[in-house]
Amino acid sequence: MRFHSPAIQYFHAVRRTGSIRAAARVLNVASSAVSRQILKLEQEVGSPLFERNARGLTLTTVGEMLARHVMNVLQDLDRFRSDVASLSGTWHGTVSIACIESLTESVLPELIASHRGRARRVSFTTEVKGSSDVLEALSRGEADIGIAMALRHPPDLRQVALKRFRLGAVVAREHPLARRKTVTLAQCLAFPVIHALPELSIYHLLQPLIAQLSETPEPAIQANSIDLMRELAARGVGVAFQTQLGIGRLSRDSQLVFLPLDNAGSPVWSDLGIYVRAERTLPAYTESFLQELVRELGERERRENAAYPQVS
Amino acid sequence: MRFHSPAIQYFHAVRRTGSIRAAARVLNVASSAVSRQILKLEQEVGSPLFERNARGLTLTTVGEMLARHVMNVLQDLDRFRSDVASLSGTWHGTVSIACIESLTESVLPELIASHRGRARRVSFTTEVKGSSDVLEALSRGEADIGIAMALRHPPDLRQVALKRFRLGAVVAREHPLARRKTVTLAQCLAFPVIHALPELSIYHLLQPLIAQLSETPEPAIQANSIDLMRELAARGVGVAFQTQLGIGRLSRDSQLVFLPLDNAGSPVWSDLGIYVRAERTLPAYTESFLQELVRELGERERRENAAYPQVS
DNA sequence: TATAGCCGTTGCCGAAACGGCAGCAACATG
DNA sequence: CATGTTGCTGCCGTTTCGGCAACGGCTATA
């Protein structure tokens, strides 16, 4: 089912690989063929699409415009294919997800497992990244669904849903703070804390609040792995900060205690956004999973906010 | 700038014309070439795209799916072209509008004139249709922007804006009702009325209200031309029903008087919707006009509702 | 400074795709 | 039954495409 001129696909491959020869290897054709198609495209458009650097090609402004168009075409072709396939009863395809680490402990594995239980022919690709990298991967068409901290998102992305979860302190069961219902940041800073490095978005949530406090914090550990921070907290090394989503199993096993943060009487929210390329209609199987994802996150949001009602 | 395989464009032409030979004439190629491209497409997709009737071709289900994809591709290609053109400073293209008759008296001509005053290189195509035909033309990709009564719209269309205007009685200056501020339907029906035929959406707005009244109405005139109804009312033939949008000049010349309808104490609204294909990003020049259209209609809505405040 | 390894591009040539022409059968209309 | 129109199919010249080998430009390394 290849009714689009090869130029389109060649261009797409060159953009992704950043090199004509590399694209040719991926496409299983001679590099000369790729080169000629690109040159022909540039002649048709009337403007160069790539800047030829010594070590590969970079998109020009016009090239980026064409890349957007080509992405729209190829993604819509995917959708068309899945539409035709679903007509004859066969649901198959791959859902590609880019998400931040907090989802990997329980939300995503459970959802994927349950979904594959019902739709065996749908496969998944998931890539864990930082929030801004998630949005970038989505913009570049390298993922279908993105889950990231709800920062300002580029206009070519659409925020399908926005779920807010309470940020809290995470301590071991034996920790002195563990008997409290909620904690303030100041109370936490009296103990050794496990800080997130700036590449994690928790850092940007907490930093402004910490800056307001004038106290000298206890010596702290810094890490960029949520998994590591969680395990450190479980071993009583210190106080970590997370949403309850990121704790998961250790919380159920009662090794960890989650204490909602209380910032001058109001909760500290961590906003989770679900994103999709705006100029795109998702294939049916992707849309189906997306709906489940939104529903599940909404369900968790509801449950957590019921368990820890407003401080005020 | 034709970097899409001919099959795409041929298919699109065949779909629009409903015949291979007609498409070939439009495309300036031999009919055999078109026929072969369609056959090749069907082979690639693995399913017939058209039903061959004796007198032309009709889309199959799969064909309609492909038509949707092809429409997305070609419309997005248009957008890409306009993006590239605007990069080199030249804004040009054609905005195609499908709308109902009430817009043709003042809103649309003024907007188009003012827009062309600023952007000389943008041309316009406008087609006046009934509300449901407007939506259909939009779905088929025969128009960029649709303005119609806000009925339920198909899911492949997006309602960009919804503006409500008061439905009112329209009478000549000398008409006995002309001195009133508002009128009820019952008061109107005491006089000869000019009814809309079912093909106009005013009919569907008024019919349920008329059905509630048990009175025997005066002998009425029925028409399907808003222009005709307006001119009839201006000549004192009877009471017509319209939104103020549809009166325009004759109202400014004080030949006609607009009397908002009062239905058991509440206004009768006529909802005007502005529509666009959902799976599409508009070219910049089209988007620009669309914004002006929405703004202008919003402005009129505001002015009218200020002139005729709530009845209650 | 010389060399090896990439890079994109180009000439050449066989293969594949495309399009035009004329003619076919099928069907509708009168 | 004649006529017109429909889509389809051999045949054939033209265009396009892709593979191979080679060239010049560049970087990194010895």
Side-chain angles (χ1 to χ4, degrees), chain B residues 10 30 32 36-37 54:
Chain B
Y10 288 10
S32 60
R36 267 191 272 260
Q37 291 292 343

Side-chain angles (χ1 to χ4, degrees), chain B residues 6 10 21 28-30 32-33 36-37 40 54-55:
Chain B
Y10 288 10
R21 283 188 125 101
N28 277 321
V29 291
S32 60
R36 267 191 272 260
Q37 291 292 343
K40 190 173 76 92
R55 206 139 203 86

Side-chain angles (χ1 to χ4, degrees), chain B residues 103-307:
Chain B
L103 276 291
T104 61
E105 208 283 335
S106 108
V107 181
L108 223 41
E110 286 177 16
L111 261 179
I112 293 180
S114 115
H115 193 88
R116 286 212 26 114
R118 272 167 294 132
R120 206 68 60 92
R121 305 288 298 271
V122 177
S123 15
F124 287 85
T125 309
T126 74
E127 200 160 355
V128 177
K129 296 167 177 288
S131 275
S132 51
D133 289 341
V134 166
L135 301 187
E136 262 186 38
L138 221 53
S139 285
R140 274 203 294 267
E142 294 164 8
D144 301 320
I145 300 174
I147 311 164
M149 284 292 162
L151 343 150
R152 258 208 317 276
H153 56 280
D156 60 329
L157 298 187
R158 183 167 61 91
Q159 190 178 68
V160 178
L162 172 67
K163 306 295 177 190
R164 28 184 43 187
F165 297 91
R166 289 197 65 172
L167 198 61
V170 177
V171 297
R173 193 177 38 197
E174 305 82 8
H175 196 280
L177 288 174
R179 282 167 311 174
R180 301 188 55 88
K181 282 294 177 200
T182 66
V183 289
T184 65
L185 199 51
Q187 290 167 342
C188 292
L189 292 185
F191 299 90
V193 297
I194 306 169
H195 274 311
L197 283 169
E199 49 192 292
L200 292 185
S201 28
I202 301 175
Y203 173 89
H204 301 282
L205 284 176
L206 284 181
Q207 199 52 37
L209 303 181
I210 293 181
Q212 288 175 4
L213 302 176
S214 51
E215 314 176 18
T216 45
E218 274 283 312
I221 298 175
Q222 300 197 359
N224 73 343
S225 157
I226 290 183
D227 197 24
L228 178 66
M229 292 164 63
R230 182 176 58 215
E231 297 295 336
L232 283 175
R235 284 162 179 74
V237 175
V239 183
F241 298 95
Q242 250 303 312
T243 60
Q244 211 177 352
L245 280 187
I247 319 297
R249 204 181 54 254
L250 284 180
S251 169
R252 288 198 299 281
D253 298 349
S254 306
Q255 300 187 19
L256 281 178
V257 179
F258 177 80
L259 307 163
L261 262 183
D262 174 357
N263 178 46
S266 58
V268 180
W269 294 111
S270 162
D271 290 348
L272 211 57
I274 305 179
Y275 298 92
V276 157
R277 273 201 75 221
E279 299 186 346
R280 181 185 185 193
T281 307
L282 294 176
Y285 57 87
T286 309
E287 181 69 31
S288 153
F289 179 80
L290 177 62
Q291 297 301 339
E292 286 181 33
L293 174 64
V294 171
R295 202 185 47 73
E296 172 67 18
L297 277 181
E299 186 63 23
R300 301 228 182 196
E301 177 188 51
R302 196 192 57 74
R303 274 212 304 270
E304 294 193 13
N305 292 347

Side-chain angles (χ1 to χ4, degrees), chain A residues 82-251:
Chain A
S82 89
D83 279 3
V84 173
S86 77
L87 204 63
S88 55
T90 41
W91 253 42
H92 66 297
T94 301
V95 179
S96 166
I97 304 170
C99 74
I100 53 177
E101 206 185 340
S102 16
L103 276 291
T104 61
E105 207 284 331
S106 106
V107 182
L108 224 39
E110 287 177 15
L111 262 179
I112 292 180
S114 114
H115 193 89
R116 285 208 31 110
R118 270 166 295 131
R120 205 69 60 90
R121 307 286 298 270
V122 177
S123 12
F124 286 85
T125 309
T126 74
E127 200 161 355
V128 177
K129 296 167 177 286
S131 274
S132 51
D133 289 341
V134 166
L135 302 188
E136 262 187 39
L138 221 53
S139 286
R140 275 203 294 268
E142 294 164 9
D144 301 320
I145 299 175
I147 311 164
M149 285 293 162
L151 343 150
R152 255 206 319 275
H153 56 281
D156 59 329
L157 298 187
R158 183 168 62 90
Q159 190 179 68
V160 178
L162 172 67
K163 305 294 178 191
R164 28 185 41 188
F165 297 92
R166 288 197 65 171
L167 199 61
V170 175
V171 298
R173 194 177 39 199
E174 306 82 8
H175 195 280
L177 287 174
R179 283 167 310 172
R180 301 188 54 91
K181 283 294 177 199
T182 66
V183 288
T184 65
L185 199 51
Q187 292 167 341
C188 293
L189 292 184
F191 299 90
V193 296
I194 306 168
H195 275 310
L197 283 168
E199 49 193 291
L200 291 185
S201 29
I202 302 174
Y203 173 89
H204 302 281
L205 285 176
L206 283 180
Q207 200 52 36
L209 304 181
I210 293 180
Q212 289 174 3
L213 303 175
S214 51
E215 313 176 16
T216 46
E218 275 282 313
I221 298 175
Q222 301 198 356
N224 73 343
S225 158
I226 290 182
D227 197 25
L228 178 66
M229 292 164 62
R230 183 177 57 217
E231 298 294 335
L232 283 174
R235 284 164 180 74
V237 176
V239 183
F241 298 96
Q242 248 304 311
T243 59
Q244 211 178 352
L245 280 187
I247 320 297
R249 203 180 55 253
L250 284 180
S251 170

